[in-house]
Amino acid sequence: MARPDRRVSIAVARIIPLVLLCTVIYASYAITKPLCIDYLIHPLPKYDRSPRIGTGAAIVTVYYVFLIPVIVTYLRLLYNVIWNPGFLPRGSPSLLDQQNAEVPTPHRRESKRRKRSHRMPKTTEKSDISDEVDIERGVDHNAGGNAFPLDTKGLESFYTKDVFVCQPDGRPTYCSTCCQYKTDRAHHCREVDRCVRKMDHFCPWVGGVVSETSFKFFIQFVSYTTVFCTFALIVCAIFTAELRRETGEVNPHWAVGIGLSCLFGVFAFGMTLSSVQLAMYNLTTIENLNRRSAVWTLAIRVPGHMLSKLNPNSRWAPTFRTITYPLPPRPPNAEDIAEHQQYQPAGEQHVFAVLQTLPGENPFDLGTSFKNLQQVLGYSLFDWLLPLKHSPCADHSSLESAFALGPVVKRLKAEAGLEHPMAEDSEPRDRASKRKRRRSKHKQHS
């Protein structure tokens, strides 16, 4: 059963789109009929002035030219929020999830504790430490615990990449509510009770979650809304001042148009600035809450030429922790964990180094604001203006990582010694050899 606050959020989210629709209809009526037709093109007798057909026609034309992008981007945003919201699929409950599902809520635990106090002595009560389940992390925070899901299905999509976001133990974050490993930059949304990939916020304007599949269209929508409201505000203000100067009266429709334009224009302008700023940093609203203190833990693949150095008999001692995939199957009995941890399934092994960024560093910051904007809006001017293509960050087909990585990851690799020495020197050596060939050819011709 849904919580009361969740039901209220969903109910409000369903009402706001209708309010926006009614506002746009009324604003279109106020600009078209009372202003352009009754005051400019065919003035009513009470205004006692000559027609201004060109001005009225130009205002109507520009008004609808600005209105069409607002409607198109809003419909595109609404379509993605409803039909392509970026939800992660739910997993099948593991044994641990079933145990956690049976754990009573705090107020139920309190009532049961009171009942048990009359039946048995206090010494037989169990500790409540194991009852606490972290939905966002969803795994045991103590080394050697068995709070991980017993099966390791779903990890293939992580260790087949070269870099992925993990916890300090090297495992991806697990959501005990969705019974699924969360992909990079995914967040569990309480309003929809689902994990959402690169979730930005829950938007009541469209009644859903704005994520990687819709953030671009959200920016376009609020940007075009700002331009549209600014134009409507200027037009209504100019002719309201003119009418009051000549007749001393104020048209109520124009006054309401000024109020609505100010209200929605200021809100849309603020959302445009904040959204563009987040895109320039390649962050989401949730990630921006603690971006100055956040520490990202990354699992970075160890190159093949370094695997021999990780041998216990090697003289080289790594400065980082490693984890090898595929993980061994989790035993049902906690006593057999130590024995099974030494076992690794046969087949290809994927060794990863577990590294952490400095506080405030963003591994997904590509170095420049323009490159970060391209990850959201696209690579061409048409992509920035037209709500047609999805954001490039929504494409996770790259074998390196789910999202494009920036200089922070390169620095981590260099500090840990994971960069192949030949990879760094190959380009300068090729340039030097080309220069020598050119010089030799020049000497031969001379």
Side-chain angles (χ1 to χ4, degrees):
M1 184 176 180
R3 299 186 313 233
D5 55 346
R6 185 182 302 168
R7 291 199 299 265
V8 172
S9 301
I10 295 176
V12 172
R14 292 176 179 176
I15 295 175
I16 289 183
L18 297 178
V19 175
L20 291 177
L21 178 61
C22 296
T23 303
V24 171
I25 293 176
Y26 179 79
S28 301
Y29 166 78
I31 294 291
T32 304
K33 185 68 169 61
L35 177 59
C36 294
I37 296 179
D38 295 342
Y39 184 74
L40 296 176
I41 298 177
H42 298 292
L44 298 177
K46 64 178 182 178
Y47 295 126
D48 191 20
R49 60 181 307 117
S50 59
R52 289 179 284 182
I53 300 177
T55 303
I59 291 176
V60 172
T61 302
V62 176
Y63 175 83
Y64 284 101
V65 166
F66 286 155
L67 179 60
I68 290 175
V70 174
I71 296 177
V72 172
T73 52
Y74 181 75
L75 293 177
R76 188 73 167 97
L77 173 63
L78 189 64
Y79 174 83
N80 278 268
V81 167
I82 295 177
W83 300 106
N84 188 19
F87 293 163
L88 294 180
R90 292 186 183 273
S92 57
S94 61
L95 179 60
L96 172 67
D97 300 319
Q98 296 175 4
Q99 294 174 355
N100 291 335
E102 297 175 357
V103 174
T105 56
H107 67 276
R108 291 181 180 177
R109 288 202 302 267
E110 183 66 23
S111 61
K112 290 185 177 181
R113 189 180 297 111
R114 293 176 181 176
K115 294 180 180 179
R116 288 198 303 266
S117 62
H118 300 285
R119 301 177 185 175
M120 60 184 69
K122 295 183 179 180
T123 55
T124 59
E125 293 184 3
K126 295 183 179 180
S127 174
D128 292 335
I129 297 178
S130 61
D131 294 344
E132 300 297 333
V133 179
D134 189 343
I135 293 179
E136 286 303 312
R137 299 178 67 180
V139 296
D140 185 19
H141 312 319
N142 302 321
N146 62 345
F148 294 105
L150 298 180
D151 55 4
T152 58
K153 295 180 180 179
L155 292 176
E156 297 83 0
S157 59
F158 292 91
Y159 64 76
T160 53
K161 304 282 187 181
D162 291 338
V163 182
F164 63 89
V165 179
C166 65
Q167 297 188 91
D169 59 357
R171 290 172 175 260
T173 307
Y174 183 79
C175 180
S176 57
T177 302
C178 297
C179 306
Q180 183 65 279
Y181 288 100
K182 295 197 298 184
T183 59
D184 295 358
R185 310 180 74 177
H187 181 78
H188 186 86
C189 179
R190 298 180 182 272
E191 283 75 12
V192 298
D193 200 26
R194 292 288 296 274
C195 285
V196 186
R197 191 191 294 269
K198 198 183 177 185
M199 172 185 170
D200 189 81
H201 66 282
F202 182 84
C203 179
W205 285 30
V206 290
V209 181
V210 175
S211 63
E212 65 176 9
T213 60
S214 54
F215 188 49
K216 168 187 174 179
F217 308 124
F218 178 80
I219 293 179
Q220 292 175 335
F221 167 65
V222 293
S223 301
Y224 285 127
T225 301
T226 302
V227 176
F228 169 74
C229 291
T230 302
F231 174 78
L233 173 63
I234 292 175
V235 170
C236 292
I238 289 176
F239 289 102
T240 297
E242 178 184 292
L243 181 62
R244 186 175 183 181
R245 184 174 59 253
E246 294 179 355
T247 64
E249 298 179 356
V250 175
N251 190 300
H253 297 291
W254 305 353
V256 174
I258 292 175
L260 293 177
S261 300
C262 288
L263 176 63
F264 288 100
V266 171
F267 181 75
F269 179 69
M271 293 299 297
T272 301
L273 289 182
S274 62
S275 299
V276 172
Q277 183 182 16
L278 290 175
M280 292 173 64
Y281 289 122
N282 204 350
L283 292 171
T284 64
T285 300
I286 297 175
E287 296 170 350
N288 188 54
L289 295 177
N290 60 341
R291 69 180 178 92
R292 298 186 181 278
S293 59
V295 176
W296 293 83
T297 305
L298 304 175
I300 302 178
R301 184 183 299 275
V302 178
H305 71 279
M306 290 189 58
L307 294 180
S308 58
K309 295 182 179 180
L310 297 178
N311 193 312
N313 299 326
S314 176
R315 297 180 179 179
W316 182 74
T319 58
F320 47 81
R321 181 178 180 178
T322 61
I323 184 172
T324 303
Y325 288 91
L327 294 176
R330 302 292 294 182
N333 297 326
E335 300 177 354
D336 301 334
I337 289 180
E339 179 182 353
H340 281 71
Q341 281 181 342
Q342 300 176 357
Y343 166 78
Q344 289 292 341
E348 184 181 3
Q349 301 296 308
H350 304 264
V351 183
F352 288 84
V354 181
L355 305 177
Q356 289 186 332
T357 65
L358 297 176
E361 286 186 332
N362 179 17
F364 305 103
D365 185 359
L366 302 184
T368 63
S369 301
F370 182 72
K371 290 182 179 180
N372 292 333
L373 283 173
Q374 285 182 325
Q375 287 295 307
V376 177
L377 298 178
Y379 298 109
S380 65
L381 180 62
F382 292 101
D383 293 337
W384 286 43
L385 298 178
L386 302 179
L388 299 177
K389 297 182 179 180
H390 284 90
S391 301
C393 64
D395 182 13
H396 307 290
S397 59
S398 174
L399 296 179
E400 181 184 12
S401 62
F403 295 92
L405 302 173
V408 173
V409 178
K410 294 182 180 179
R411 179 185 61 79
L412 291 177
K413 290 182 179 180
E415 292 178 353
L418 300 180
E419 291 285 358
H420 197 291
M422 295 298 296
E424 299 178 355
D425 300 337
S426 59
E427 186 176 357
R429 290 180 180 179
D430 292 341
R431 292 180 180 177
S433 61
K434 290 181 180 180
R435 290 176 183 175
K436 291 181 181 180
R437 293 176 183 176
R438 292 177 182 175
R439 291 177 182 175
S440 61
K441 291 182 180 179
H442 180 71
K443 291 181 180 179
Q444 292 177 359
H445 289 293
S446 60

